[in-house]
Amino acid sequence: MSPATQEPVIRTRNLTKEYRRQEYHVYALREASIDIRRGEFVALMGPSGSGKSTLLHLIAAMDRPTDGEILVLGHDLRSMSESAVARWRNAHIGFIFQSFNLIPVLTALENVELPLKLTRLSRRERLDHAKWALELVGLGDRLTHTPRQMSGGQEQRVAIARALVTDPDLILADEPTGNLDSNSAKEVLTLLTRLNKEFGKTVVMVTHDPHAARTAGHVRYLEKGMLLPNGEVPEDWAPIHHVG
Amino acid sequence: MRNSLRNRRRSLLTIMSVAASLCLLGVLGAVYNNFYYSEASPHQALRLIVRNRVSLANPFPIAYRARILQVPGVEEAVILQWFGGTYKDARDTNNFFGRFAVEPERLFRVYPEYKLTDVERLGFERERSACIVGRKLANRLGFKLGDKLQIVGDIFPLTLDLTIRGIYDSANDNENLFFHYEYLNKGFGGGSRMDQISTLVIHVRSTDLVPVVSRSIDDLFRNSAVQTLTETEHSFQLSFLAFLGNVKLFFLMISSAVAFTMFLITANTMAMSVRERTREVGILKTIGFTPSEILRILIGESITIALIGAAVGLWLANALVGLLRNAPSTFADFSAIRMPNEIIWIGFGAAAVLGVVACFVPAWNASRLSIIDALRVSD
């Protein structure tokens, strides 16, 4: 495993996300403070509605916090414009969804090439990078296949290739194995582990699957919008025993 | 491009609706251009038509011609008397064509573009029951030299028994039949219609003189019992359109209705298309696309569909204009109709504007949607 440095790449303090509908106030996340260091593989666990996806979305700047501080890779995301955040996300974040979210009319190669269209790379360079990423996830022979022609596991691997093709600092995965059978899930988790160990990527993964969480170096739990202190587990939840 | 056509059935229907609308607009534009903006041929530009100021249905004395020929600039004047009548079965529109009583010896001096052999010309001039027909008409109805045909009068109570002695060629307007005015005039047998005509066609020496000659002729008969109206051949042809009412307004109203319908259909389709892709907007934003880039993509797709529709529609319109050009002349002469380049550019421009306007609001809303809201759609 690549050693995690002491430098936190994600730092939140009292991060809060509140939804207001008329007189109702719902806290999706309340005063969450967490430090995640470069090279760490962290799993965020908790029951549905505990706020784990909300925290991940705030880290990816896909959503804006209501209150609190958030520094990701040294950037205060709250002060950046939407366009600046979009460009920052393209350069630094690779996001993996539970439901893959590939563009159905594009081939695997084109889907993976998509984030590179926002860079200054030539078409040839873009395609070379996209092919490399697909080969890395074991889909070098599926370049011209559209999502409809692939299995769920293959689609998720294309999504991982798309997430890593820009060589981002952070890989954020929201329930990446949630829609997969156990074999495909295993392949995806192996890939994430490889990205963390071999390529030194910082990985933050949301999951409620204990098997998936075991592949992470650290597990943090959330409950009712609150990030539990390090080492604490929600009631009725068994703590995760890490493998290796 | 591939995104634009992803929902093939809907994209095809949208393209077809834009194509149908632009085809109609293109044909209307070509017809409008043919009526109001087409330039008169050099021969046409030298001709004036004299008629009764009250209406075309009211005749004026043939004696006027002698005075008209005295007007400086007038070189020749030929009677052009509409006969009408029925050839075979009037219910078959194919049997409809122009039948005019003329003076053969003067006709070719006023209409030098009508070409036929000297033998045919002499045959026409010498025989009172002779007639000539245009090449296009002859081809359409299978007329040959020597054929006999009968026209049963309706406006005039007279049945004409004619023999075809010539088939003339002309760049346009070659679907008429011309016979001797003398045959018609003698047939009146001395009644009130004798020596009364509805139109006289004047050949002017030069185009510069046309306005002056026109004014001079009308001034000549200003204090007469029967006053005249002298106008260019082009204006005269347009006056037939005026019988239909305010044709310009008619064109404008149809074009506006077509354009508005096209807008509604396209706007509805684009809104559906954008709504269907809201989730993808969320994906693109997650990848790093900015709202303005997403707006450009969505509008670009809308423009692509609109422009494909425009290309298909204008191509069809051009084909229809070609058919119209070769179709039998009925109430108007379309022999010189063409699809002007301006109409094509306006058509493509309108389609592009339509693509932007129809898509802008849903595209703007989608591009401004937060990633979380966009990804939640159809989840």
Side-chain angles (χ1 to χ4, degrees):
Chain A
M1 179 189 273
S2 65
T5 67
Q6 292 307 302
E7 179 195 352
V9 286
I10 300 166
R11 183 186 178 90
T12 72
R13 288 294 175 268
N14 301 320
L15 198 64
T16 299
K17 179 67 186 179
E18 179 190 2
Y19 292 102
R20 293 179 189 188
R21 295 274 150 79
Q22 295 169 331
E23 71 269 28
Y24 297 104
H25 293 206
V26 178
Y27 283 94
L29 190 70
R30 193 192 287 250
E31 297 178 352
S33 298
I34 190 170
D35 283 346
I36 296 174
R37 290 172 219 298
R38 190 176 291 278
E40 276 189 320
F41 187 162
V42 177
L44 298 174
M45 284 196 79
S48 294
S50 60
K52 51 192 190 299
S53 289
T54 302
L55 178 57
L56 198 72
H57 292 154
L58 292 173
I59 292 169
M62 290 160 67
D63 205 356
R64 302 262 178 179
T66 314
D67 202 5
E69 293 170 20
I70 180 163
L71 278 175
V72 182
L73 299 161
H75 288 88
D76 182 356
L77 303 179
R78 295 169 307 166
S79 61
M80 291 163 74
S81 71
E82 198 176 346
S83 296
V85 163
R87 281 289 179 269
W88 171 85
R89 201 185 297 118
N90 177 255
H92 300 289
I93 305 286
F95 203 95
I96 301 162
F97 299 93
Q98 177 179 354
S99 49
F100 327 133
N101 280 338
L102 300 176
I103 308 287
V105 290
L106 302 182
T107 63
L109 188 66
E110 289 165 336
N111 264 294
V112 176
E113 186 202 356
L114 206 53
L116 296 175
K117 289 201 168 183
L118 299 170
T119 65
R120 290 183 179 177
L121 294 177
S122 67
R123 182 172 156 70
R124 170 63 29 216
E125 289 171 321
R126 290 201 308 264
L127 291 176
D128 286 346
H129 280 67
K131 275 181 199 163
W132 169 83
L134 281 165
E135 277 161 12
L136 189 75
V137 299
L139 291 175
D141 57 343
R142 293 281 194 274
L143 302 181
T144 56
H145 286 57
T146 58
R148 209 175 281 175
Q149 297 166 316
M150 289 186 279
S151 67
Q154 289 171 329
E155 278 193 75
Q156 191 61 299
R157 281 192 278 157
V158 174
I160 293 172
R162 181 179 66 185
L164 64 88
V165 74
T166 52
D167 191 23
D169 300 288
L170 288 176
I171 302 275
L172 306 178
D174 191 358
E175 303 270 14
T177 58
N179 282 3
L180 301 178
D181 59 62
S182 56
N183 283 338
S184 299
K186 208 169 170 183
E187 285 173 4
V188 165
L189 292 170
T190 307
L191 267 172
L192 290 175
T193 308
R194 239 185 111 191
L195 290 174
N196 174 247
K197 285 182 178 171
E198 287 181 29
F199 296 90
K201 302 293 176 194
T202 308
V203 179
V204 182
M205 175 177 71
V206 162
T207 183
H208 55 245
D209 175 8
H211 295 291
R214 274 193 199 102
T215 57
H218 302 277
V219 181
R220 293 295 300 269
Y221 293 90
L222 290 103
E223 191 178 32
K224 295 175 184 170
M226 306 281 283
L227 185 68
L228 301 183
N230 204 355
E232 235 179 79
V233 178
E235 285 176 27
D236 307 330
W237 279 58
I240 299 296
H241 300 290
H242 295 288
V243 286
Chain B
M1 181 71 180
R2 220 177 313 162
N3 261 331
S4 312
L5 305 174
R6 65 166 52 191
N7 189 326
R8 283 187 191 158
R9 188 185 301 163
R10 192 177 56 217
S11 300
L12 195 67
L13 288 172
T14 312
I15 287 169
M16 280 167 64
S17 73
V18 173
S21 306
L22 272 162
C23 176
L24 189 53
L25 284 177
V27 172
L28 283 174
V31 170
Y32 190 89
N33 182 73
N34 184 62
F35 287 156
Y36 298 105
Y37 293 107
S38 60
E39 283 187 17
S41 68
H43 293 303
Q44 264 189 319
L46 291 171
R47 286 195 286 264
L48 288 168
I49 311 280
V50 183
R51 65 177 174 91
N52 189 310
R53 180 168 284 276
V54 176
S55 85
L56 199 57
N58 295 59
F60 64 95
I62 195 171
Y64 276 22
R65 181 180 31 203
R67 293 174 67 189
I68 288 170
L69 285 169
Q70 301 299 315
V71 173
V74 174
E75 286 190 331
E76 184 56 280
V78 64
I79 295 165
L80 189 77
Q81 177 61 53
W82 171 258
F83 180 74
T86 304
Y87 171 67
K88 289 186 176 174
D89 185 358
R91 288 170 299 184
D92 183 356
T93 54
N94 215 31
N95 289 329
F96 181 83
F97 51 90
R99 298 131 197 174
F100 294 97
V102 296
E103 297 146 301
E105 67 281 7
R106 294 179 191 265
L107 178 71
F108 300 105
R109 289 200 287 272
V110 177
Y111 290 90
E113 68 267 34
Y114 289 173
K115 305 290 181 198
L116 70 174
T117 64
D118 289 343
V119 176
E120 288 173 315
R121 189 170 162 168
L122 280 173
F124 177 42
E125 286 178 1
R126 284 177 183 165
E127 187 182 334
R128 212 173 67 180
S129 62
C131 70
I132 57 169
V133 293
R135 176 79 58 197
K136 198 169 165 186
L137 177 64
N139 291 341
R140 171 154 56 104
L141 295 175
F143 290 151
K144 297 185 298 294
L145 293 180
D147 281 1
K148 294 195 181 300
L149 52 104
Q150 191 176 66
I151 311 285
V152 180
D154 42 24
I155 308 168
F156 301 104
L158 196 68
T159 296
L160 303 174
D161 288 302
L162 302 167
T163 307
I164 298 173
R165 292 298 178 205
I167 295 173
Y168 71 88
D169 286 297
S170 170
N172 49 35
D173 194 19
N174 56 6
E175 289 184 82
N176 295 322
L177 177 147
F178 296 106
F179 64 97
H180 285 241
Y181 175 71
E182 200 187 344
Y183 184 13
L184 177 67
N185 202 28
K186 288 278 194 299
F188 293 143
S192 61
R193 287 183 169 176
M194 193 143 179
D195 293 333
Q196 296 287 318
I197 55 172
S198 58
T199 48
L200 193 66
V201 186
I202 311 292
H203 193 267
V204 182
R205 194 186 317 128
S206 76
T207 49
D208 309 345
L209 295 171
V210 165
V212 183
V213 169
S214 170
R215 233 180 357 258
S216 302
I217 291 172
D218 289 344
D219 287 347
L220 204 58
F221 303 104
R222 197 158 303 282
N223 297 317
S224 305
V226 178
Q227 295 179 4
T228 59
L229 176 69
T230 307
E231 56 195 343
T232 62
E233 192 173 280
H234 190 61
S235 301
F236 179 72
Q237 285 167 350
L238 281 182
S239 68
F240 284 93
L241 275 184
F243 293 155
L244 299 173
N246 190 340
V247 179
K248 284 188 179 178
L249 183 67
F250 179 68
F251 271 103
L252 187 70
M253 284 174 69
I254 292 183
S255 303
S256 305
V258 169
F260 187 63
T261 308
M262 179 168 74
F263 169 74
L264 289 183
I265 291 171
T266 313
N268 183 46
T269 313
M270 294 308 168
M272 282 169 65
S273 173
V274 170
R275 195 162 48 242
E276 208 173 66
R277 296 184 53 204
T278 307
R279 189 180 175 84
E280 269 177 44
V281 169
I283 299 168
L284 291 175
K285 281 189 161 188
T286 305
I287 287 171
F289 283 80
T290 61
S292 57
E293 282 163 344
I294 288 166
L295 186 66
R296 279 204 297 275
I297 290 170
L298 294 174
I299 288 178
E301 287 172 13
S302 174
I303 290 176
T304 303
I305 285 183
L307 287 180
I308 293 173
V312 174
L314 291 168
W315 178 82
L316 274 175
N318 198 35
L320 287 176
V321 165
L323 286 177
L324 204 55
R325 189 164 47 238
N326 297 313
S329 294
T330 48
F331 78 97
D333 176 24
F334 290 120
S335 56
I337 192 171
R338 61 184 182 83
M339 179 67 90
N341 287 337
E342 293 84 350
I343 299 282
I344 293 171
W345 292 123
I346 290 171
F348 276 116
V353 170
L354 173 85
V356 175
V357 174
C359 173
F360 189 80
V361 172
W364 173 269
N365 289 338
S367 70
R368 260 58 194 170
L369 207 59
S370 80
I371 295 178
I372 303 302
D373 288 337
L375 291 174
R376 208 171 276 153
V377 171
S378 75
D379 246 340

